[in-house]
Amino acid sequence: MRIFDPHIHMTSRTTDDYRAMYDAGVRALVEPSFWLGQPRTSPASFHDYFDALLGWEPFRAAQYSIAHHCALALNPKEANDPRCAPVLDDLPRYLAKDGVVAVGEIGYDSLTPAEDTALATQLQLAADHGLPALVHTPHRDKLTGLRRTVDVVRESALAPDRVLLDHLNETTVKEAADSGAWLGFSVYPDTKMDEDRTVAILKEYGTDRILVNSAADWGRSDPLKTRAVARAMLASGFTHDDVDQVLWRNPVAFYGLSGRLHLDVPTPPDLHEGNSVLRGGE
């Protein structure tokens, strides 16, 4: 079984998670930009973060034969902080880099005017750079947030079929599907969706244009939830081909819209005495 986790925050996870993910079948992932818990205080802190997603995390992932890609953006929560907003002016030079396969996470957190501006601006950046967009639908007032998101996407230069609406659930899936966008479901131990609810949605809506992710971060989350969904799908009567479509072919198709998806993992350099970190030298 091969798994592509289309939304996971590996900068928050240990190297042991990479090993466990590989053993579970994960062979590729996308790490979107998100907030760090502790507020950033300037665009410079985003620069360091973006550089890590483009350099350090692909290196860590390659040690376990996992292809790492990223999506870069000013995330919805920090779009409300005027100290962070200037990073929007810096994004174009990062979005031009090979490892970037989408603009994201963008979208809504608290449905503020500042979030309106950041979303519209970054949808335009996605269109300008030929990239798809990963859109975060809010955790609160989800249906209102979904409707507002769809309206902004329709007004943008980015076609709905180049947008992934993520963090969906039973209250938002129908209108999201009607929008023409791709559908994303984050599977968590306690919040968002679980594997059984996800399987119920797959039974109702089918397997086309649906992506399942763990969205694992520094909170209570599980980077192996994609594998749990695969097991639940098989137990409920889905075929191995259905599982492959949802957990591999669909994310490959969506992020392949960038023209930058590379699933061949480079051989990592030799490490000193088994260390997981390169030290010194070039």
Side-chain angles (χ1 to χ4, degrees):
M1 181 184 298
R2 54 183 182 171
I3 295 173
F4 188 138
D5 193 328
H7 179 162
I8 184 169
H9 301 290
M10 292 307 299
T11 192
S12 305
R13 311 300 304 193
T14 69
T15 300
D16 290 344
D17 288 322
Y18 275 119
R19 183 189 299 277
M21 290 163 63
Y22 180 86
D23 290 344
V26 176
R27 296 295 181 269
L29 61 86
V30 168
E31 179 164 0
S33 306
F34 81 136
W35 71 296
L36 299 180
Q38 174 68 26
R40 295 183 178 92
T41 58
S42 75
S45 58
F46 282 89
H47 301 163
D48 291 338
Y49 175 56
F50 292 164
D51 288 342
L53 296 187
L54 288 162
W56 169 239
E57 286 304 328
F59 167 75
R60 276 213 304 163
Q63 293 179 60
Y64 296 92
S65 299
I66 295 175
H68 180 290
H69 306 81
C70 66
L72 301 183
L74 171 63
N75 67 82
K77 186 174 180 64
E78 290 179 308
N80 295 296
D81 191 333
R83 297 173 300 178
C84 299
V87 79
L88 291 170
D89 297 327
D90 301 331
L91 272 171
R93 68 186 176 95
Y94 284 98
L95 296 179
K97 296 183 179 294
D98 287 342
V100 182
V101 295
V103 176
E105 297 176 58
I106 59 178
Y108 286 109
D109 179 61
S110 300
L111 302 175
T112 66
E115 293 169 21
D116 288 331
T117 298
L119 175 56
T121 298
Q122 292 180 103
L123 287 170
Q124 184 62 53
L125 285 174
D128 292 344
H129 288 80
L131 294 172
L134 170 60
V135 178
H136 168 107
T137 58
H139 301 305
R140 296 161 294 183
D141 202 3
K142 290 190 74 67
L143 188 55
T144 299
L146 184 279
R147 289 170 174 168
R148 191 156 161 179
T149 299
V150 169
D151 286 344
V152 176
V153 169
R154 286 174 177 157
E155 294 168 358
S156 77
L158 195 66
D161 62 2
R162 296 180 66 83
V163 173
L164 170 58
L165 298 173
D166 209 351
H167 302 316
L168 298 176
N169 64 13
E170 295 89 346
T171 67
T172 54
V173 59
K174 184 182 185 305
E175 293 193 30
D178 291 344
S179 76
W182 294 68
L183 313 179
F185 297 90
S186 301
V187 183
Y188 263 44
D190 298 317
T191 62
K192 301 183 175 71
M193 296 290 289
D194 63 25
E195 48 267 44
D196 294 328
R197 290 166 60 200
T198 302
V199 167
I201 283 178
L202 288 166
K203 285 184 174 181
E204 182 174 357
Y205 287 90
T207 57
D208 291 341
R209 300 167 69 88
I210 288 182
L211 283 71
V212 171
N213 65 76
S214 70
D217 56 19
W218 30 249
R220 178 162 162 71
S221 51
D222 182 352
L224 305 184
K225 277 296 186 182
T226 49
R227 177 74 183 201
V229 170
R231 289 196 300 265
M233 287 180 68
L234 293 173
S236 69
F238 283 99
T239 67
H240 284 276
D241 187 68
D242 294 328
V243 171
D244 191 69
Q245 179 176 0
V246 172
L247 292 175
W248 184 265
R249 301 198 307 271
N250 285 352
V252 167
F254 177 74
Y255 287 113
L257 295 171
S258 68
R260 299 177 183 174
L261 198 63
H262 301 291
L263 299 175
D264 294 328
V265 183
T267 302
D270 293 334
L271 302 175
H272 178 66
E273 294 183 353
N275 279 324
S276 61
V277 180
L278 289 176
R279 300 181 184 276
E282 295 183 354

mmCIF file of all heavy atoms in Angstrom, residues 37-67:
data_model
loop_
_atom_site.group_PDB
_atom_site.id
_atom_site.type_symbol
_atom_site.label_atom_id
_atom_site.label_comp_id
_atom_site.label_asym_id
_atom_site.label_seq_id
_atom_site.Cartn_x
_atom_site.Cartn_y
_atom_site.Cartn_z
ATOM 1 N N GLY A 37 2.091 28.366 16.946
ATOM 2 C CA GLY A 37 1.683 28.429 18.343
ATOM 3 C C GLY A 37 2.151 29.734 18.962
ATOM 4 O O GLY A 37 1.347 30.579 19.355
ATOM 5 N N GLN A 38 3.445 29.903 19.035
ATOM 6 C CA GLN A 38 4.025 31.176 19.461
ATOM 7 C C GLN A 38 3.983 32.147 18.284
ATOM 8 O O GLN A 38 4.473 31.835 17.207
ATOM 9 C CB GLN A 38 5.480 30.974 19.906
ATOM 10 C CG GLN A 38 6.231 32.247 20.224
ATOM 11 C CD GLN A 38 5.705 32.930 21.474
ATOM 12 O OE1 GLN A 38 5.149 32.268 22.343
ATOM 13 N NE2 GLN A 38 5.864 34.237 21.556
ATOM 14 N N PRO A 39 3.373 33.320 18.440
ATOM 15 C CA PRO A 39 3.235 34.237 17.301
ATOM 16 C C PRO A 39 4.586 34.658 16.722
ATOM 17 O O PRO A 39 5.543 34.926 17.461
ATOM 18 C CB PRO A 39 2.504 35.440 17.900
ATOM 19 C CG PRO A 39 1.803 34.904 19.106
ATOM 20 C CD PRO A 39 2.693 33.828 19.644
ATOM 21 N N ARG A 40 4.651 34.695 15.418
ATOM 22 C CA ARG A 40 5.809 35.296 14.752
ATOM 23 C C ARG A 40 5.718 36.813 14.907
ATOM 24 O O ARG A 40 4.637 37.378 15.008
ATOM 25 C CB ARG A 40 5.846 34.917 13.283
ATOM 26 C CG ARG A 40 6.061 33.432 13.024
ATOM 27 C CD ARG A 40 6.145 33.182 11.512
ATOM 28 N NE ARG A 40 6.409 31.780 11.211
ATOM 29 C CZ ARG A 40 5.472 30.860 10.980
ATOM 30 N NH1 ARG A 40 4.193 31.207 11.042
ATOM 31 N NH2 ARG A 40 5.792 29.620 10.706
ATOM 32 N N THR A 41 6.868 37.439 14.865
ATOM 33 C CA THR A 41 6.900 38.884 15.105
ATOM 34 C C THR A 41 7.375 39.686 13.910
ATOM 35 O O THR A 41 7.378 40.917 13.967
ATOM 36 C CB THR A 41 7.811 39.200 16.306
ATOM 37 O OG1 THR A 41 9.130 38.705 16.048
ATOM 38 C CG2 THR A 41 7.269 38.555 17.580
ATOM 39 N N SER A 42 7.764 39.016 12.804
ATOM 40 C CA SER A 42 8.245 39.750 11.636
ATOM 41 C C SER A 42 8.291 38.817 10.441
ATOM 42 O O SER A 42 8.316 37.585 10.605
ATOM 43 C CB SER A 42 9.644 40.323 11.882
ATOM 44 O OG SER A 42 10.620 39.283 11.817
ATOM 45 N N PRO A 43 8.333 39.369 9.226
ATOM 46 C CA PRO A 43 8.486 38.515 8.043
ATOM 47 C C PRO A 43 9.753 37.672 8.071
ATOM 48 O O PRO A 43 9.784 36.586 7.494
ATOM 49 C CB PRO A 43 8.506 39.528 6.895
ATOM 50 C CG PRO A 43 7.728 40.687 7.395
ATOM 51 C CD PRO A 43 8.087 40.770 8.863
ATOM 52 N N ALA A 44 10.796 38.143 8.751
ATOM 53 C CA ALA A 44 12.052 37.397 8.775
ATOM 54 C C ALA A 44 11.876 36.014 9.381
ATOM 55 O O ALA A 44 12.552 35.056 8.973
ATOM 56 C CB ALA A 44 13.114 38.178 9.549
ATOM 57 N N SER A 45 10.975 35.880 10.344
ATOM 58 C CA SER A 45 10.768 34.555 10.935
ATOM 59 C C SER A 45 10.086 33.624 9.941
ATOM 60 O O SER A 45 10.301 32.409 9.977
ATOM 61 C CB SER A 45 9.971 34.664 12.233
ATOM 62 O OG SER A 45 8.720 35.278 12.018
ATOM 63 N N PHE A 46 9.263 34.178 9.027
ATOM 64 C CA PHE A 46 8.705 33.371 7.946
ATOM 65 C C PHE A 46 9.808 32.914 6.998
ATOM 66 O O PHE A 46 9.780 31.787 6.508
ATOM 67 C CB PHE A 46 7.675 34.178 7.151
ATOM 68 C CG PHE A 46 6.334 34.292 7.806
ATOM 69 C CD1 PHE A 46 6.072 35.328 8.673
ATOM 70 C CD2 PHE A 46 5.330 33.368 7.543
ATOM 71 C CE1 PHE A 46 4.823 35.456 9.277
ATOM 72 C CE2 PHE A 46 4.084 33.484 8.136
ATOM 73 C CZ PHE A 46 3.833 34.522 9.013
ATOM 74 N N HIS A 47 10.762 33.796 6.717
ATOM 75 C CA HIS A 47 11.830 33.435 5.790
ATOM 76 C C HIS A 47 12.586 32.208 6.290
ATOM 77 O O HIS A 47 12.872 31.279 5.527
ATOM 78 C CB HIS A 47 12.803 34.599 5.609
ATOM 79 C CG HIS A 47 12.159 35.847 5.085
ATOM 80 N ND1 HIS A 47 12.766 37.079 5.163
ATOM 81 C CD2 HIS A 47 10.949 36.056 4.493
ATOM 82 C CE1 HIS A 47 11.965 37.992 4.629
ATOM 83 N NE2 HIS A 47 10.862 37.398 4.224
ATOM 84 N N ASP A 48 12.941 32.207 7.569
ATOM 85 C CA ASP A 48 13.649 31.055 8.134
ATOM 86 C C ASP A 48 12.786 29.795 8.056
ATOM 87 O O ASP A 48 13.277 28.699 7.758
ATOM 88 C CB ASP A 48 14.038 31.330 9.585
ATOM 89 C CG ASP A 48 15.106 32.398 9.725
ATOM 90 O OD1 ASP A 48 15.846 32.640 8.740
ATOM 91 O OD2 ASP A 48 15.202 32.996 10.809
ATOM 92 N N TYR A 49 11.509 29.946 8.336
ATOM 93 C CA TYR A 49 10.573 28.816 8.293
ATOM 94 C C TYR A 49 10.452 28.275 6.870
ATOM 95 O O TYR A 49 10.536 27.063 6.635
ATOM 96 C CB TYR A 49 9.228 29.284 8.829
ATOM 97 C CG TYR A 49 8.100 28.291 8.755
ATOM 98 C CD1 TYR A 49 8.195 27.026 9.326
ATOM 99 C CD2 TYR A 49 6.904 28.635 8.145
ATOM 100 C CE1 TYR A 49 7.134 26.127 9.281
ATOM 101 C CE2 TYR A 49 5.831 27.753 8.097
ATOM 102 C CZ TYR A 49 5.950 26.503 8.660
ATOM 103 O OH TYR A 49 4.904 25.618 8.617
ATOM 104 N N PHE A 50 10.260 29.153 5.900
ATOM 105 C CA PHE A 50 10.161 28.718 4.507
ATOM 106 C C PHE A 50 11.444 28.000 4.078
ATOM 107 O O PHE A 50 11.390 26.976 3.383
ATOM 108 C CB PHE A 50 9.912 29.913 3.589
ATOM 109 C CG PHE A 50 8.575 30.573 3.753
ATOM 110 C CD1 PHE A 50 8.355 31.845 3.238
ATOM 111 C CD2 PHE A 50 7.524 29.950 4.412
ATOM 112 C CE1 PHE A 50 7.125 32.472 3.369
ATOM 113 C CE2 PHE A 50 6.286 30.564 4.562
ATOM 114 C CZ PHE A 50 6.096 31.838 4.032
ATOM 115 N N ASP A 51 12.595 28.543 4.476
ATOM 116 C CA ASP A 51 13.858 27.899 4.109
ATOM 117 C C ASP A 51 13.958 26.494 4.695
ATOM 118 O O ASP A 51 14.482 25.577 4.054
ATOM 119 C CB ASP A 51 15.043 28.746 4.596
ATOM 120 C CG ASP A 51 15.230 30.019 3.788
ATOM 121 O OD1 ASP A 51 14.693 30.098 2.662
ATOM 122 O OD2 ASP A 51 15.909 30.942 4.288
ATOM 123 N N ALA A 52 13.434 26.310 5.910
ATOM 124 C CA ALA A 52 13.451 24.979 6.517
ATOM 125 C C ALA A 52 12.561 24.015 5.755
ATOM 126 O O ALA A 52 12.903 22.842 5.570
ATOM 127 C CB ALA A 52 13.020 25.063 7.984
ATOM 128 N N LEU A 53 11.403 24.492 5.296
ATOM 129 C CA LEU A 53 10.494 23.624 4.539
ATOM 130 C C LEU A 53 11.066 23.274 3.168
ATOM 131 O O LEU A 53 10.712 22.242 2.591
ATOM 132 C CB LEU A 53 9.134 24.293 4.367
ATOM 133 C CG LEU A 53 8.330 24.560 5.642
ATOM 134 C CD1 LEU A 53 6.937 25.065 5.293
ATOM 135 C CD2 LEU A 53 8.235 23.321 6.518
ATOM 136 N N LEU A 54 11.942 24.109 2.666
ATOM 137 C CA LEU A 54 12.544 23.859 1.356
ATOM 138 C C LEU A 54 13.856 23.081 1.443
ATOM 139 O O LEU A 54 14.298 22.517 0.440
ATOM 140 C CB LEU A 54 12.801 25.190 0.641
ATOM 141 C CG LEU A 54 11.556 25.903 0.129
ATOM 142 C CD1 LEU A 54 11.865 27.373 -0.139
ATOM 143 C CD2 LEU A 54 11.039 25.223 -1.133
ATOM 144 N N GLY A 55 14.471 23.043 2.618
ATOM 145 C CA GLY A 55 15.784 22.418 2.742
ATOM 146 C C GLY A 55 15.865 21.318 3.780
ATOM 147 O O GLY A 55 16.063 20.144 3.463
ATOM 148 N N TRP A 56 15.669 21.691 5.032
ATOM 149 C CA TRP A 56 15.872 20.738 6.123
ATOM 150 C C TRP A 56 14.851 19.609 6.105
ATOM 151 O O TRP A 56 15.211 18.434 6.234
ATOM 152 C CB TRP A 56 15.830 21.486 7.451
ATOM 153 C CG TRP A 56 15.757 20.624 8.673
ATOM 154 C CD1 TRP A 56 14.799 20.618 9.621
ATOM 155 C CD2 TRP A 56 16.713 19.639 9.089
ATOM 156 N NE1 TRP A 56 15.082 19.693 10.602
ATOM 157 C CE2 TRP A 56 16.260 19.083 10.292
ATOM 158 C CE3 TRP A 56 17.913 19.171 8.545
ATOM 159 C CZ2 TRP A 56 16.942 18.081 10.967
ATOM 160 C CZ3 TRP A 56 18.600 18.167 9.230
ATOM 161 C CH2 TRP A 56 18.123 17.644 10.418
ATOM 162 N N GLU A 57 13.573 19.936 5.949
ATOM 163 C CA GLU A 57 12.572 18.875 6.000
ATOM 164 C C GLU A 57 12.676 17.898 4.825
ATOM 165 O O GLU A 57 12.549 16.684 5.032
ATOM 166 C CB GLU A 57 11.162 19.450 6.113
ATOM 167 C CG GLU A 57 10.840 20.010 7.483
ATOM 168 C CD GLU A 57 11.023 19.007 8.616
ATOM 169 O OE1 GLU A 57 10.818 17.794 8.402
ATOM 170 O OE2 GLU A 57 11.368 19.433 9.729
ATOM 171 N N PRO A 58 12.907 18.341 3.590
ATOM 172 C CA PRO A 58 13.149 17.357 2.529
ATOM 173 C C PRO A 58 14.344 16.449 2.815
ATOM 174 O O PRO A 58 14.327 15.255 2.486
ATOM 175 C CB PRO A 58 13.391 18.223 1.293
ATOM 176 C CG PRO A 58 12.627 19.462 1.568
ATOM 177 C CD PRO A 58 12.776 19.699 3.052
ATOM 178 N N PHE A 59 15.366 16.999 3.457
ATOM 179 C CA PHE A 59 16.525 16.178 3.819
ATOM 180 C C PHE A 59 16.145 15.129 4.855
ATOM 181 O O PHE A 59 16.494 13.947 4.727
ATOM 182 C CB PHE A 59 17.646 17.077 4.365
ATOM 183 C CG PHE A 59 18.747 16.312 5.036
ATOM 184 C CD1 PHE A 59 19.670 15.595 4.288
ATOM 185 C CD2 PHE A 59 18.858 16.285 6.417
ATOM 186 C CE1 PHE A 59 20.682 14.877 4.914
ATOM 187 C CE2 PHE A 59 19.860 15.565 7.044
ATOM 188 C CZ PHE A 59 20.775 14.857 6.288
ATOM 189 N N ARG A 60 15.403 15.536 5.887
ATOM 190 C CA ARG A 60 14.984 14.556 6.898
ATOM 191 C C ARG A 60 14.119 13.472 6.270
ATOM 192 O O ARG A 60 14.288 12.285 6.548
ATOM 193 C CB ARG A 60 14.180 15.259 8.007
ATOM 194 C CG ARG A 60 14.974 15.893 9.086
ATOM 195 C CD ARG A 60 14.268 15.847 10.430
ATOM 196 N NE ARG A 60 12.939 16.438 10.432
ATOM 197 C CZ ARG A 60 12.029 16.217 11.385
ATOM 198 N NH1 ARG A 60 12.301 15.394 12.388
ATOM 199 N NH2 ARG A 60 10.841 16.802 11.338
ATOM 200 N N ALA A 61 13.178 13.880 5.427
ATOM 201 C CA ALA A 61 12.268 12.914 4.814
ATOM 202 C C ALA A 61 13.016 11.943 3.909
ATOM 203 O O ALA A 61 12.698 10.740 3.867
ATOM 204 C CB ALA A 61 11.190 13.652 4.022
ATOM 205 N N ALA A 62 14.007 12.439 3.180
ATOM 206 C CA ALA A 62 14.738 11.592 2.236
ATOM 207 C C ALA A 62 15.478 10.464 2.939
ATOM 208 O O ALA A 62 15.702 9.401 2.348
ATOM 209 C CB ALA A 62 15.719 12.433 1.419
ATOM 210 N N GLN A 63 15.849 10.675 4.191
ATOM 211 C CA GLN A 63 16.534 9.611 4.936
ATOM 212 C C GLN A 63 15.636 8.400 5.130
ATOM 213 O O GLN A 63 16.130 7.298 5.398
ATOM 214 C CB GLN A 63 17.008 10.142 6.291
ATOM 215 C CG GLN A 63 18.100 11.182 6.183
ATOM 216 C CD GLN A 63 18.514 11.691 7.542
ATOM 217 O OE1 GLN A 63 18.970 10.923 8.389
ATOM 218 N NE2 GLN A 63 18.340 12.975 7.770
ATOM 219 N N TYR A 64 14.330 8.601 4.992
ATOM 220 C CA TYR A 64 13.374 7.500 5.126
ATOM 221 C C TYR A 64 12.616 7.269 3.821
ATOM 222 O O TYR A 64 11.510 6.735 3.830
ATOM 223 C CB TYR A 64 12.436 7.778 6.309
ATOM 224 C CG TYR A 64 13.227 7.799 7.591
ATOM 225 C CD1 TYR A 64 13.745 8.987 8.085
ATOM 226 C CD2 TYR A 64 13.551 6.612 8.255
ATOM 227 C CE1 TYR A 64 14.532 9.009 9.222
ATOM 228 C CE2 TYR A 64 14.332 6.619 9.389
ATOM 229 C CZ TYR A 64 14.823 7.812 9.874
ATOM 230 O OH TYR A 64 15.623 7.819 10.993
ATOM 231 N N SER A 65 13.236 7.691 2.713
ATOM 232 C CA SER A 65 12.697 7.436 1.364
ATOM 233 C C SER A 65 11.291 7.989 1.185
ATOM 234 O O SER A 65 10.438 7.376 0.537
ATOM 235 C CB SER A 65 12.729 5.930 1.057
ATOM 236 O OG SER A 65 14.055 5.439 1.099
ATOM 237 N N ILE A 66 11.044 9.153 1.763
ATOM 238 C CA ILE A 66 9.766 9.845 1.615
ATOM 239 C C ILE A 66 10.015 11.135 0.837
ATOM 240 O O ILE A 66 10.889 11.933 1.197
ATOM 241 C CB ILE A 66 9.131 10.146 2.974
ATOM 242 C CG1 ILE A 66 8.775 8.842 3.696
ATOM 243 C CG2 ILE A 66 7.898 11.021 2.821
ATOM 244 C CD1 ILE A 66 8.256 9.034 5.115
ATOM 245 N N ALA A 67 9.246 11.345 -0.227
ATOM 246 C CA ALA A 67 9.356 12.564 -1.028
ATOM 247 C C ALA A 67 8.609 13.694 -0.322
ATOM 248 O O ALA A 67 7.408 13.589 -0.078
ATOM 249 C CB ALA A 67 8.784 12.329 -2.427
#
